[in-house]
Amino acid sequence: MIHPTKSLHASAVLVLATCALGADPDGAKILKALEANETLSADIHSKVAITENRAGQGAKSLKCEYFRRDSDKSFVIAITAPESDRGNGYLRQGEHFWMYRRNTRTFQHVNRDESIGGSDAKGQDFESRPLSQMYAPAKDAQGKELVRADTVGGVPCWKLEVRAIVSDVDYPKKSMWVRQSDLLLAKDQSFSSQGTLMRTGYYTKYQLVAQRQVPMRQVHVDEVEKGNRTLVDLSEIKVGKLDPTIFSKAWLESQSK
Amino acid sequence: MNIVEIRDLVKNYPLGNTTVHALRGVSMDIAQGALMSVVGPSGSGKTTLLNIVGCVDSATSGSVKVGGSETTSLSDRELTFLRLRKIGFIFQTFNLVPVLTALENVEFPLLLQGTLPKAKVREKARQLLEAVGILGHEQHKPAELSGGQRQRVAIARALVTDPDLVLADEPTANLDSETGDSILRLMQTMNQERGTTFVFSTHDPQVLRYAKDVVRIHDGQLAGG
Amino acid sequence: MKTLLYFAFRNLMRQKRRALLLGSAMALGTCFLVLASSFVAGISQTLFDRVMTYVAGHTSVIVCDRGFMYRTAMRGEAGFKERIAKLPHVKKVDETIGIMSRIVGPTKGDNGILIGTDMDAQMSQAELRDLEDNFPMVSGAFKDLTRTDVPNPAILSKGKAQYLGLKSGDGFSARFQDSRGRMQVGKFTLVGIFQPSNAFMEAPFFVSMRHAKQLLDMDSTDLPYLYLTLENPTVNAKIVADTIFKMFEPGLAALPVRLENGKSVVTAVAAGVKADSAARSRMASYLGAGIPWKGDVVALPERMALELGVKVGDTVRVVSGISRGGDTISDRAVLAGIWQPPAGAEGLVLWEEDAFQSSRSFRRSQSLDSGLAQAKAASSLLDTLLSPNWVRMNRALTTDDVRDQMRQIGARSWKAPVVAVRTMYETGEQIIKLADALNLITLVAVLILFLVVLTGVVNALRMTVRERTREIGTLRSLGMQASQVRTLFLMEAGLLSFLSALAGTALALAAMFGLSQLTFPIEGNPLSMLLVRGHLVFVPEVLATLGQILLVIAMAVVAAWNPASQAAKLSPANALRHHE
Ligand SMILES: Nc1ncnc2c1ncn2[C@@H]1O[C@H](COP(=O)(O)OP(=O)(O)OP(=O)(O)O)[C@@H](O)[C@H]1O
Ligand SMILES: [Mg+2]
């Protein structure tokens, strides 16, 4: 099955604010700009469609409802389609993260680094940390930040290379392409410690939501298992206080009936 | 000196609701070196008397002293021990152990005693087999011997432990008269040569001529004497 | 006694037919018993020595880094392996690495478990054969994992190789998470293919232990999972586990560090200090006015702060070592306050536990706990606030406990490495249950045999006693004691059963030889796990067989007791009068 968690979460973390930068690209400033808007001040609710293309297996798609409340690090994902997965879901409340299975009517606690149903999403991915606490701009031998002009799909961008400054991150090296015009993330690439490209993400169709720019479409390309790509499409984003009962096991369970 | 002293010996056998009075107050002495015959008709109590004297049966009342000890107050263990050391038995039906050879049958009581070394035991058994005149048959099983030969082996077995007293219950009843005579003569010889006390029962008056003493029993009581 | 024995023997020969009949029944019974127990012993041996040692170890040491269940290494504690290997009853200590991975072939990907196989000198010829018995090779061999002419030699199952479209010599890649939690991808060469003996054995993806460690970013100082092979595991598993549990008595943690502020540099020893709310308020009272004890913070002795030229609120660079990549492992911490170290702890920096432990986890190849004396000196003041070198999980007693424990290990955010010691009784309960069930076979064999012996011996002896009543009377009158009569009959039964048991054992050995010549197909056979190269395994144990022979004799003697006593109790006079 498709696991919506990873991509969804990435989409939420990378909500960006519009922020212009002078002609002189400054990696630290770019990171700050990205980080400044990581947390949503308001609750949100949206519909999400995730389409996963697996090499040789065609496309599978999954639809879900996504509720998020950053004030206490909670979210709920309730799967609505396909029928075989309908009613399954995920719940995060603070430190705890559960996976709900309709068939067995059980909530399974997901360990910090447990892979979720065989995907490369892990429980730990939901312990969000500010971007600047995880990465810093990489520097060349002369101590200069590795930032240069590039284009993504013809759009002028800054290409920024970052390195993990803490040990426990999935990818120790990343490259980020940020649009020069509004400093929105257009593309990123993640590398293993050996420098192997592991995945590439594209972020398009930004839309203003509660003073944040949200990419309504993300494409994640698996660079190891060639041909695997995942599309994440957001729609019907609503902003505003959500019913607190939504962030409970009972509510998630009720969705499966 | 008496090897056996019996006073007022009574033996009753319960039989269903009634009681069989096998011995009704027998008193008698058997002197050391005697060759005594107990004579009486069938059912008169000969076997019962010999069994009690031989310590294989117990008295109902009265006193029986064998070699000075009062057998009525001894335990089964002690009685068995007494039989082993002091008494030899000869049976009407020979009663040899069928799985053992003639020699082994004779050795057996000595081996039970366990006091002599194996070689001595063998030597002594041979001597006795020779004395009873069946040397040459020592490796035969009882089934391979004639009745007379078997009874000779039985006599050798009874004598091998040098007992004070040998009890023979109708030793000739299962033998033809000629063989019977030879058996009795053998007992007579043994009595004379070794001084062993012999008591044998019979209902055949013919046999009496071999006895030095005769005790007549009738219906559980001694008749006259 | 000798006379009686001889006599008993002669008596046995008397009723040859009866003895032969009863003897054959007892011999067959013994044969079945010896066969069954050797079969069960064979299966148990397979289960405990082959299956169990691969699946769970007789006793195992489980480690994980701060609750990250798949980061199965404890830094700098490899010494435990040697110490454990020296314990009594420990035959072998295997490092075990098994990591979920995504194997990617030219067209498709599939999940597999990356397993490190120790191909170095430690592996004996016999172990190598065992391994290939469990994973029969279709092509290549396990020793090919040591090849150096290709990158990362690997072995896959036949099914997996087919599904992925790989053949021997092909290259493929695999994605997995290393021991530091980072996503990694490795390039491998398929050097061997094995035919799994059952469906469970499809998943392994073997590489040499050395490569596995490199791929997972572990080195020789790291302690991975340890699976132990023990002598007599059913007896010793728990004993050894308890001993190892004691060895892992938690203590304090310390970490040599270098503090930098611009050009000023000070070397020091760091100790971790908890940062929960209770700890925070206690720290506030030790530090006086300062910054809350939360996040990446340090507290320095006054002298050190002066040397570095920093004041409360300033940032200090804490350098704690060199990573494998050659990078300096450093951290920027905020000076939360000045503390007054007790005597002996003058060079001690207090560091917020999270940052402290993660630096500890990331450091490599150096003794972690030099400077421990300073931390110990500080414990007089800070006692419960200091961070431990590891957290030891309680000994789980049941499979459920272990499941709970796994959940706990993963769910709680442990601040220090976690270690748990387990035995096959908790981790391999299924296998133990199977072995127990098999023991039932032996029990049934014993019961059948007992019935045979009981009815056979009792009947035969009763008949014999009746037939030989007059002989008993004769023997008694010759001076045989009642107890000797009983002994005689017991000896007859004992002798018969002894000879029968010997014959039965010989028969069983012959049957075992015959049965183990048969070859069963391995493929698609659910019981193939219990076979060795398609053959049944019998393990006739000398002691067990002797025990079984004794058991048969004992049963016969017990059965004979009653009739023999009856014979002994006969009154000699009555016995003599008996006419059959
Ligand atoms: N065990 C017994 N139970 C009951 N009655 C018995 C028993 N033994 C012997 N008797 C009876 O006691 C009496 C004496 O028997 P005993 O055998 O002593 O006679 P006997 O003189 O030896 O006879 P026989 O010449 O036939 O051998 C007989 O009436 C016999 O039936
Ligand atoms: Mg009579």
Side-chain angles (χ1 to χ4, degrees), chain A residues 113-134:
Chain A
D113 63 346
E114 197 167 312
S115 150
I116 296 167
S119 72
D120 68 341
K122 291 176 290 171
Q124 184 204 357
D125 294 338
F126 299 91
E127 295 173 5
S128 59
R129 278 179 292 180
L131 196 56
S132 68
Q133 275 188 24
M134 296 194 285

Side-chain angles (χ1 to χ4, degrees), chain C residues 43 47 429-439 529-530:
Chain C
I43 289 184
L47 286 178
E429 199 184 42
Q430 303 304 322
I431 294 174
I432 295 205
K433 275 196 180 138
L434 185 55
D436 284 350
L438 287 166
N439 276 324
M529 192 171 78
L530 305 177

Side-chain angles (χ1 to χ4, degrees), chain C residues 150-205:
Chain C
V150 291
N152 290 328
I155 293 176
L156 290 174
S157 70
K158 198 172 154 193
K160 200 131 281 187
Q162 265 165 10
Y163 177 81
L164 294 168
L166 294 169
K167 51 186 199 314
S168 256
D170 286 355
F172 65 94
S173 54
R175 182 177 52 203
F176 49 86
Q177 201 184 336
D178 72 13
S179 69
R180 294 169 200 279
R182 298 173 301 195
M183 298 308 293
Q184 298 285 11
V185 61
K187 295 252 174 278
F188 298 87
T189 311
L190 186 63
V191 296
I193 296 173
F194 67 91
Q195 171 71 61
S197 53
N198 59 54
F200 303 109
M201 301 294 189
E202 281 274 345
F205 152 34

Side-chain angles (χ1 to χ4, degrees), chain A residues 16 34 151-153 155-158 176-180 182-188 200-204 206 217 219:
Chain A
L16 302 171
L34 294 176
T151 57
V152 175
V155 177
C157 287
W158 299 117
M176 299 172 139
W177 283 260
V178 179
R179 303 201 303 223
Q180 288 185 8
D182 48 13
L183 289 189
L184 291 178
L185 186 68
K187 174 184 173 183
D188 64 1
T200 306
Y202 299 92
Y203 306 85
T204 55
Y206 278 91
R217 159 159 280 198
V219 180

Side-chain angles (χ1 to χ4, degrees), chain B residues 42-43 45-48 92 169-170 201, chain C residues 577:
Chain B
S42 186
K46 303 182 293 291
T47 300
T48 305
Q92 178 184 345
D169 192 9
E170 306 197 36
S201 73
Chain C
R577 264 186 229 276

Side-chain angles (χ1 to χ4, degrees), chain C residues 287 293 296-300 316 318 333-337 349-352:
Chain C
L287 301 180
W293 190 254
D296 200 343
V297 287
V298 288
L300 303 180
V316 190
V318 186
V334 174
L335 181 59
V349 178
L350 306 183
W351 197 359
E352 186 275 322

Side-chain angles (χ1 to χ4, degrees), chain A residues 63-127:
Chain A
K63 290 191 165 57
C64 55
E65 303 267 344
Y66 178 49
F67 303 86
R68 176 168 162 172
R69 183 173 69 194
D70 277 3
S71 57
D72 65 349
K73 294 186 184 169
S74 297
F75 67 75
V76 166
I77 296 168
I79 298 173
T80 52
E83 191 49 38
S84 61
D85 285 322
R86 196 184 60 80
N88 292 344
Y90 300 86
L91 166 65
R92 181 185 164 123
Q93 285 177 324
E95 294 288 303
H96 298 286
F97 183 42
W98 290 278
M99 175 164 75
Y100 177 70
R101 284 289 159 266
R102 179 192 55 183
N103 300 347
T104 52
R105 303 202 153 274
T106 50
F107 282 87
Q108 193 187 327
H109 205 283
V110 178
N111 291 326
R112 294 174 76 182
D113 63 346
E114 197 167 312
S115 150
I116 296 167
S119 72
D120 68 341
K122 291 176 290 171
Q124 184 204 357
D125 294 338
F126 299 91
E127 295 173 5

